[in-house]
Amino acid sequence: MITALRGTADILPPDTAVWQHVEQCARDVFSRYGFAEIRTPIFEQTELFVRSIGDTTDIVEKEMYTFPDRKGRSITLRPEGTACVVRACLEHKLFAPGKILKFFYTGPMFRYERPQAGRQRQFHQTGVELFGTYSPLADADVIAMMVRFLEHAGVHNVTVQLNTLGDAASRAAYRAALQAFVAPHLPALCEDCQRRAERNVLRVLDCKIPSCKAIFSAPDVPRTTATLSPAAQQHYDGVRRVLDALHIAYIEDPRLVRGLDYYTHTIFEVRHGALGAQDALGGGGRYDNLVHEMGGPQIGGVGFGVGLERLVIALRGAQTAPPQFPPDVALIALDARALQDNLTLADELRRRGLSVLTAYELQSVKAQMRQANSAGVAWVVFQGEDERRQGMVKLKDMRAGAERLCSLDDLLTTLCPQQIR
Ligand code: HAM
């Protein structure tokens, strides 16, 4: 038997209804904030991710699905969406001075990680990217939108972890402080961290190896907020002030750095208790140099990504009943000929917007009624020899329990009262 690859999953009904629900919530909430959908390809040139996410990050060093295509070009299945959106905006010349751009996207992402609950190799994100402003109002608005989206989907009580990496001067000062902290620990660090300490010291904080994690969770690990320039401090104060005004609760975590190199200033993560070890429901931040580094103008941006597998797990934890869409009508065939008559009637009803349950093979009335009941239909229509002779159908209102014979016109008026026929 051929099975799905490790770290990938089929999403089956009725779970697909929950997925449709969260995707619809994303569309509803993001569009209220003025974000429009963008769809970019699932694979890109490898270079795009190496340059944007950073060549010493875990994602680029260990987790990308990279392969040569038939012409020997290096291709990568997208591990995230931000780089793809920036590439698309540059390619289609969407950036312009003074212009705000707001995009959202939903789709599969790929990272070669060790699969466990809430962590897959093909997973799904819904994310947003906002370009064209350096204002801290934008950071706060995007964080608030993330929280409102999660609430709208049914996840409450999330915790927003907030931090800032500051501007270039702040980050240089922080790197120096972290380097000084790391130096005496160097011999105890894993090989990767020893290399990172030299090339990109911030990335030691992402290490998942327990002995390194222990060193980097010590209370004396430098805080990014200790080395902020006055301008960076002002930006951070602005973000917090607006979050307070919007009543978005947050916890400051001065050791949060997030595992992608493109961030500047604000970074944030949203966690949820139901997720266990993989507790980040989503995360994001500001990236003021990314567009420029990718060959575009100097344009600031801010965005986030939410993991949909994790959101669905959190919804289960929240005991939110998945939305149910029972069919409206079940058509019951009392003889073989009625099976075909029912298909014609179902066609009429479906064209008027009703959802209809029909059968292809004759079963006992009892078996057909059992299916209608378990589907939760509001109406049942019977057709058989007697009804045919009279040119009528028998209609049963499942809530009231009442049955009556009615003509086709009567049936359509009863079931589709607001339809103009
Ligand atoms: P990220 O933190 O790498 O950020 O991913 C965002 C979310 O995707 C995570 O919080 C998690 O819920 C989900 N996720 C990541 N990896 C996996 C996995 N292997 N399995 C299941 N879920 C996963 C980004 O990707 C940035 N592009 C976010 C961003 C947008 N920053 C600015 N704009």
Side-chain angles (χ1 to χ4, degrees):
M1 188 182 47
I2 300 175
T3 56
L5 288 170
R6 187 165 140 78
T8 70
D10 300 307
I11 304 166
L12 308 173
D15 278 0
T16 34
V18 183
W19 282 75
Q20 287 168 356
H21 159 73
V22 296
E23 287 162 9
Q24 188 58 46
C25 288
R27 277 193 288 271
D28 289 350
V29 174
F30 300 159
S31 60
R32 282 179 218 164
Y33 285 76
F35 286 70
E37 186 177 4
I38 184 167
R39 299 186 186 198
T40 65
I42 278 168
F43 54 88
E44 299 266 3
Q45 296 181 39
T46 301
E47 180 70 10
L48 173 67
F49 303 112
V50 176
R51 275 177 53 192
S52 56
I53 300 170
D55 59 358
T56 44
T57 57
D58 266 5
I59 296 181
V60 170
E61 278 189 337
K62 301 181 182 167
E63 297 171 0
M64 293 208 304
Y65 276 90
T66 297
F67 51 92
D69 74 0
R70 288 179 180 273
K71 289 253 169 75
R73 290 169 290 227
S74 184
I75 304 289
T76 294
L77 301 185
R78 64 181 185 195
E80 62 109 48
T82 313
C84 310
V85 175
V86 169
R87 199 257 323 128
C89 290
L90 286 171
E91 190 166 336
H92 299 283
K93 301 188 172 50
L94 304 182
F95 295 122
K99 185 167 153 200
I100 300 280
L101 295 172
K102 292 174 168 183
F103 296 109
F104 76 87
Y105 48 87
T106 301
M109 308 286 164
F110 306 84
R111 295 184 194 177
Y112 195 90
E113 292 192 82
R114 200 167 52 76
Q116 59 183 74
R119 191 160 75 195
Q120 293 184 182
R121 291 180 175 166
Q122 175 175 336
F123 62 99
H124 298 78
Q125 267 187 8
T126 190
V128 312
E129 313 297 344
L130 183 161
F131 301 96
T133 173
Y134 298 104
S135 168
L137 288 172
D139 308 30
D141 202 28
V142 160
I143 294 172
M145 178 170 81
M146 182 175 180
V147 173
R148 298 299 177 230
F149 157 58
L150 294 171
E151 287 172 354
H152 190 60
V155 179
H156 300 269
N157 308 324
V158 290
T159 317
V160 178
Q161 309 276 329
L162 184 70
N163 195 24
T164 175
L165 295 170
D167 49 18
S170 320
R171 281 200 313 284
Y174 182 66
R175 266 198 298 273
L178 194 57
Q179 224 128 27
F181 172 84
V182 165
H185 294 288
L186 262 183
L189 297 182
C190 73
E191 260 178 45
D192 280 348
C193 281
Q194 295 189 350
R195 203 166 26 84
R196 289 168 183 149
E198 209 172 286
R199 290 186 57 198
N200 188 359
V201 69
L202 242 69
R203 296 285 66 96
V204 299
L205 300 178
D206 311 325
C207 189
K208 290 169 190 138
I209 292 178
S211 51
C212 293
K213 269 173 101 167
I215 293 172
F216 297 119
S217 50
D220 54 338
V221 172
R223 299 159 172 253
T224 63
T225 41
T227 41
L228 290 182
S229 69
Q233 183 68 53
Q234 204 182 358
H235 184 93
Y236 189 44
D237 292 344
V239 175
R240 287 180 300 171
R241 198 169 46 244
V242 183
L243 285 176
D244 291 339
L246 289 166
H247 304 292
I248 299 293
Y250 56 88
I251 294 175
E252 293 180 73
D253 178 357
R255 295 203 187 84
L256 179 70
V257 292
R258 291 193 37 76
L260 301 100
D261 273 353
Y262 50 62
Y263 290 119
T264 57
H265 290 285
T266 318
I267 47 177
F268 53 92
E269 249 169 37
V270 169
R271 307 213 172 126
H272 191 273
L275 295 177
Q278 301 302 317
D279 66 351
L281 210 49
R286 174 165 280 283
Y287 43 85
D288 284 346
N289 303 324
L290 178 59
V291 175
H292 187 58
E293 280 164 6
M294 299 308 291
Q298 185 60 52
I299 283 196
V302 56
F304 64 74
V306 169
L308 296 187
E309 279 77 8
R310 296 185 192 179
L311 176 48
V312 168
I313 294 173
L315 275 176
R316 254 181 237 133
Q319 308 231 298
T320 307
Q324 301 274 327
F325 304 104
D328 303 296
V329 196
L331 305 186
I332 306 273
L334 302 179
D335 58 20
R337 195 177 143 192
L339 282 173
Q340 189 182 318
D341 293 345
N342 275 351
L343 271 196
T344 323
L345 176 57
D347 184 48
E348 288 267 355
L349 296 172
R350 287 173 181 143
R351 281 165 50 208
R352 288 172 166 79
L354 293 188
S355 144
V356 185
L357 208 64
T358 56
Y360 300 114
E361 289 178 27
L362 192 61
Q363 288 183 298
S364 69
V365 174
K366 202 169 155 197
Q368 295 184 65
M369 281 305 282
R370 205 178 313 121
Q371 284 158 21
N373 270 317
S374 71
V377 297
W379 303 94
V380 172
V381 176
F382 301 87
Q383 291 206 78
E385 175 61 34
D386 284 354
E387 291 77 12
R388 205 159 30 244
R389 212 172 338 103
Q390 299 174 69
M392 309 280 253
V393 295
K394 194 180 341 155
L395 175 66
K396 178 166 183 175
D397 177 339
M398 295 296 275
R399 301 223 168 90
E403 274 183 21
R404 68 183 168 89
L405 273 178
C406 58
S407 67
L408 181 61
D409 259 4
D410 184 1
L411 180 77
L412 294 179
T413 335
T414 311
L415 298 189
C416 332
Q418 65 281 65
Q419 293 283 329
I420 300 156
R421 299 201 312 275

